Amino acid sequence: MFNGIRLKLGIYLLFLPVFLWLFLLIVIPQFELLMLSFRFEDDYGDMIWSFENYKEFFTNEIYWYTFARTAFYAIFVTFLTFVVTFPVAFYITKIVDKKYALFLSILLLLPFWVSELVRVYGWTILLRETGVINFFLQYLGFTSKGIEFLYNDVSMIMGLVYTSMLFMIVPIISALDGMDDSYIEAAYDLGASKLIIFFKIIIPYASSGIVSGSIVVFMLTLGNYLTPNLIGGKNSLWFTEQIYNQFISSFNWNQGSAFGFLLLVLSSLIIFVALKLSKQSLSKALR
């Protein structure tokens, strides 16, 4: 009995730093921001409890339009990231020799050993008017002057896909790595086509990795501020920029807190709907 108590006490002490971290750095600040979001300054300069900060989001077209645009692009970036990374993950886990798989995985990780800021500025060096791509285009005679590839939706999407790739490919690799190759071989022996094998065997088996990777990529893309601002420019219309402007530019913490919670609630709602439509469960994806 005494040993059982000591074991339970040890487990509690082991998880105490995690609980403290969650409570002090996440729960308390979020609760404080939630309280701020319901505070509004009336015509007399007094702070009152009100839904005006949330009402501003729905009555001002630029705010809900910016969020809808951000959510659409976040979904699109998530899909593109899956399309780009899945063939790479399949090649590493099922095609290439095992002795080279670790080397290729390290190559995928290398760009992420530096900060996102450095990686984003790397894209600007490539795409700007005086950048590397324009230098070779002019050198080869394809153009007489520099072309501005930056500050548009296409370059912004490219940057977002690049910064999100790791968070999609790692769970997919983990899911595919546990798949027995005999499933694919048996399907071939039974006369199944490549498309049937892909959609009926490979995709269902890797669904947990795809779902978990998609959730992480979607949330990170939706909440990204650096990449849309530096690559998309001032015309990016990203919702996090609206939140930043409320907190930093306007010093309106109450409105910024409301926008932050709306981003959290609406993004969670999008994920919930996506899980229902794909008939996947969050608990399975997080295993």
Side-chain angles (χ1 to χ4, degrees), residues 111-266:
F112 294 88
W113 290 2
V114 297
S115 69
E116 183 182 357
L117 180 63
V118 176
R119 285 182 273 125
V120 171
Y121 270 118
W123 275 101
T124 62
I125 292 172
L126 284 175
L127 299 175
R128 64 186 180 182
E129 285 188 72
T130 57
V132 177
I133 295 178
N134 272 302
F135 170 78
F136 283 106
L137 288 176
Q138 294 178 62
Y139 179 79
L140 296 173
F142 289 107
T143 181
S144 59
K145 60 179 182 179
I147 303 173
E148 184 60 85
F149 294 109
L150 286 173
Y151 313 126
N152 56 68
D153 290 345
V154 175
S155 60
M156 182 183 68
I157 290 172
M158 289 171 56
L160 288 170
V161 170
Y162 176 72
T163 55
S164 306
M165 286 175 58
L166 181 68
F167 303 100
M168 178 71 78
I169 197 169
V170 169
I172 293 178
I173 287 177
S174 178
L176 288 176
D177 197 44
M179 180 180 178
D180 194 340
D181 295 345
S182 62
Y183 293 152
I184 300 176
E185 295 171 0
Y188 268 122
D189 293 338
L190 293 173
S193 64
K194 292 181 179 180
L195 284 177
I196 294 296
I197 294 174
F198 181 76
F199 286 106
K200 296 295 185 180
I201 298 177
I202 298 175
I203 291 295
Y205 195 93
S207 61
S208 60
I210 295 171
V211 171
S212 60
S214 297
I215 291 173
V216 173
V217 169
F218 173 76
M219 294 298 289
L220 289 177
T221 302
L222 195 69
N224 198 312
Y225 172 79
L226 189 63
T227 303
N229 190 261
L230 292 180
I231 298 182
K234 293 300 181 182
N235 297 322
S236 61
L237 285 178
W238 212 253
F239 193 66
T240 49
E241 187 175 357
Q242 300 287 354
I243 298 175
Y244 175 87
N245 290 336
Q246 294 296 331
F247 275 110
I248 306 301
S249 301
S250 303
F251 296 102
N252 190 347
W253 279 54
N254 306 99
Q255 190 69 71
S257 300
F259 285 178
F261 269 91
L262 282 170
L263 180 66
L264 175 62
V265 172
L266 294 175

Side-chain angles (χ1 to χ4, degrees), residues 208 211-212 215 271 275 279-287:
S208 60
V211 171
S212 60
I215 291 173
I271 291 175
L275 288 173
K279 298 180 180 179
Q280 298 291 330
S281 63
L282 184 61
S283 59
K284 182 180 178 181
L286 297 177
R287 289 177 184 174

